[in-house]
Amino acid sequence: MLTEWYDDPRLTAEQSDDVTELLDQLAGTVIYSRQHMLAEPHVVQPGDTLESIAKPYNISWQLLAKINGLSDPRQIRPGDRMKVVQGPFEALVDVRKFRLTLVVQGMYAGRFPIGTGRENSTPMGSFEVLKKVVNPSWPSPRGEIPHGDPANPLGGRWIDLGGGIGIHGTNDPASIGKSLSEGCVRLAPRDIEDVYDILTEGSRVTIVGGSLPSVVDRAGPSGPPMR
């Protein structure tokens, strides 16, 4: 019920802050804690793995491990009761407010500050997560730049939305909250790890809040990632 009031223009700034603070607390408990509040626990069966358990719920095994406090995926045993959440999660990117909001089952599921494209170069519209890459290299105009190179702007994670557009980390945390990229959405290093684990291939990402330049058309479906 409280999700309906998130970012509602009828609220005063103080009321909006109060609602968001409450939603942050609720999401932390309802979704990301080990309390079973959205679904009955999954009872581990012989032969179960985190991947096989996560798949029918449309969540990643990494998220499943996190919300169950598992540091080692091999720790599960038959008879264990595991917290599960029915996904997939979705993301709403507001370029004007420099904010990415997560939603699951129509409910608020967290928010993260972002960086966006300069001169309204982040395209508006509905996208789908096509693939995810850990420690991505960057195919720059000067050639492939590996992860870890100071000239690679993509950070530790790349979430591909197609057409050279994606959600990624950054080697410049000071760019968060600013429009400095070539069109992509940037998150701080710790935040991109969380969002990477939460969104799955097929998750919907909606980008709103600005004009609609033809960045996707310019990059082309097989173009290199922007930054």
Side-chain angles (χ1 to χ4, degrees), residues 133-137 147-148 152-158 168-171 189 192:
V133 181
V134 175
N135 297 335
S137 59
H147 169 73
N152 183 333
L154 301 183
R157 302 288 188 274
W158 168 259
H168 62 81
T170 180
N171 60 355
I192 187 60

Side-chain angles (χ1 to χ4, degrees), residues 72-94:
D72 184 347
R74 298 169 295 182
Q75 288 178 328
I76 63 172
R77 299 168 297 180
D80 286 348
R81 291 163 56 87
M82 297 191 64
K83 176 173 180 172
V84 291
V85 176
Q86 183 63 60
F89 285 73
E90 301 178 7
L92 174 64
V93 175
D94 189 324

Side-chain angles (χ1 to χ4, degrees), residues 96-129:
R96 288 182 180 169
K97 296 183 178 180
F98 296 101
R99 183 176 62 199
L100 182 152
T101 302
L102 293 172
V103 178
V104 65
Q105 298 181 38
M107 295 180 293
Y108 175 92
R111 61 194 168 105
F112 300 86
I114 61 172
T116 62
R118 61 172 61 91
E119 299 178 353
N120 290 327
S121 59
T122 300
M124 305 298 105
S126 182
F127 302 85
E128 180 179 310
V129 174

Side-chain angles (χ1 to χ4, degrees), residues 11-18:
L11 300 179
T12 65
E14 183 177 2
Q15 290 171 330
S16 185
D17 288 344
D18 288 344

